[in-house]
Amino acid sequence: MVDGLSFQAFTRISRFLLACGYYDKSSSPFLFSIFGCGEYPQYFARISAVFGGIQCLNRGVEVFVLDSTKSQVVAVITGASRIACKRLVIPVEYAPVEWLGGGLTERNISRAILITDTSIFPKRPSDVGFMRFAKDGDELGVMLIEASYVTEICPNGYFVVYLWTTAVTTARADLEPYVMKLFEPYRADRTGVAKVLWASFFNHKSIRLATRDADQSNRSTQLPANVKLVSGPSGSLDYEDVLKESEELFAMLYPGEVFLPRVPDPEEIIMDGCDGSTVAASPEEEAATALSQPEASALIPANDEEGDE
């Protein structure tokens, strides 16, 4: 009989072994995106744009517009714009308090970002290094990733180091002891030790959905039927939890469709209007679209107390 923790360990070991040599025999099982993890949303935004997706940059949702029964969100307001919607997928942090019920877990995470002058892996330097410190009673422990200039997130001759752990007090109090062990942040009496040139310690609250039910009815009776909530950033090393939640949500919204299909090659993409011309909507079409917008009966401000990470 295999218990839950053993099964989780076997699953992770299996995933690690399957990733070894996946791209070539000498490749690492770990992948790190060039320019950092901020490239992931840009990548998906660009692919979406190829197939007609529209991205509104530097805009936040300020107000949710409900229908007369308060059971559907028919539009969102951002600035002076009103954008109609059939479905709404938002981070749980942005949802109004009255939309939230049970099934949520909160986790305060301590994080640190360092800029250093030398790698902490001098005997075996690499583009990206990983280290984990075990902590009693904490499954996450203290995670560390070091990235060199090859990842395009810092100049040649410098390194960026990320540390994070489950918060006990403040980020500085939780992580500074590990910085002191690994680096030379304040003194100059340890020659050959990587020196911290700049450091930032901060905490952030991670709110996640414990489960995903088909209708989310157990969370709040006031949650509109066409609104789906997604979890915030977690403390995991990879994106396995993000992919799992995304796939479950995608299956709910688009049953029978393929999740993350192969991206087509450029020559396989057929664009409407191959001559590059654009077709503007006629005044009659614009008027018909405006008349088809549902009437609003309630306006609910978005919860913007939590900031983006």
Side-chain angles (χ1 to χ4, degrees), residues 15-242:
R15 190 163 69 236
F16 178 88
L17 293 176
L18 290 173
C20 292
Y22 186 86
Y23 291 96
D24 61 68
K25 294 182 179 179
S26 61
S27 67
S28 166
F30 296 103
L31 295 180
F32 190 88
S33 60
I34 300 296
F35 303 111
C37 60
E39 289 300 291
Y40 290 118
Q42 181 180 181
Y43 166 79
F44 284 106
R46 288 176 179 268
I47 292 297
S48 173
V50 170
F51 295 96
I54 299 175
Q55 317 297 321
C56 299
L57 305 180
N58 297 322
R59 290 291 189 95
V61 176
E62 300 168 8
V63 176
F64 301 107
V65 183
L66 303 181
D67 63 6
S68 58
T69 63
K70 297 186 179 181
S71 62
Q72 300 274 335
V73 172
V74 297
V76 296
I77 294 178
T78 172
S81 302
R82 181 184 190 275
I83 304 175
C85 61
K86 294 181 179 179
R87 302 185 183 95
L88 183 64
V89 180
I90 57 173
V92 66
E93 293 94 338
Y94 296 160
V97 176
E98 56 266 33
W99 287 4
L100 303 178
L104 299 177
T105 60
E106 292 188 9
R107 186 181 201 178
N108 193 13
I109 299 177
S110 293
R111 296 183 182 272
I113 302 176
L114 315 176
I115 298 178
T116 65
D117 64 347
T118 308
S119 173
I120 59 174
F121 305 100
K123 294 184 179 181
R124 190 176 180 182
S126 61
D127 302 338
V128 178
F130 167 71
M131 186 182 298
R132 178 183 181 274
F133 297 91
K135 285 174 60 179
D136 291 339
D138 184 5
E139 179 186 355
L140 178 61
V142 177
M143 312 289 276
L144 180 149
I145 292 179
E146 178 190 79
S148 72
Y149 78 98
V150 177
T151 62
E152 302 288 355
I153 64 174
C154 59
N156 191 1
Y158 297 91
F159 297 82
V160 173
V161 179
Y162 301 93
L163 298 98
W164 70 97
T165 186
T166 302
V168 178
T169 55
T170 65
R172 187 166 196 138
D174 292 337
L175 295 172
E176 194 170 50
Y178 297 91
V179 175
M180 294 289 291
K181 290 179 181 179
L182 295 172
F183 303 95
E184 178 52 74
Y186 307 117
R187 305 185 308 275
D189 56 356
R190 292 190 296 175
T191 59
V193 179
K195 294 179 175 59
V196 176
L197 307 177
W198 178 88
S200 175
F201 298 86
F202 60 97
N203 288 88
H204 100 265
K205 183 187 297 183
S206 173
I207 304 178
R208 302 191 58 79
L209 305 176
T211 60
R212 174 163 303 281
D213 300 313
D215 59 359
Q216 297 182 326
S217 59
N218 72 317
R219 298 201 176 92
S220 173
T221 57
Q222 299 186 47
L223 182 68
N226 64 335
V227 174
K228 302 299 180 184
L229 306 177
V230 294
S231 302
S234 69
S236 61
L237 175 65
D238 56 24
Y239 296 97
E240 192 69 22
D241 55 343
V242 177

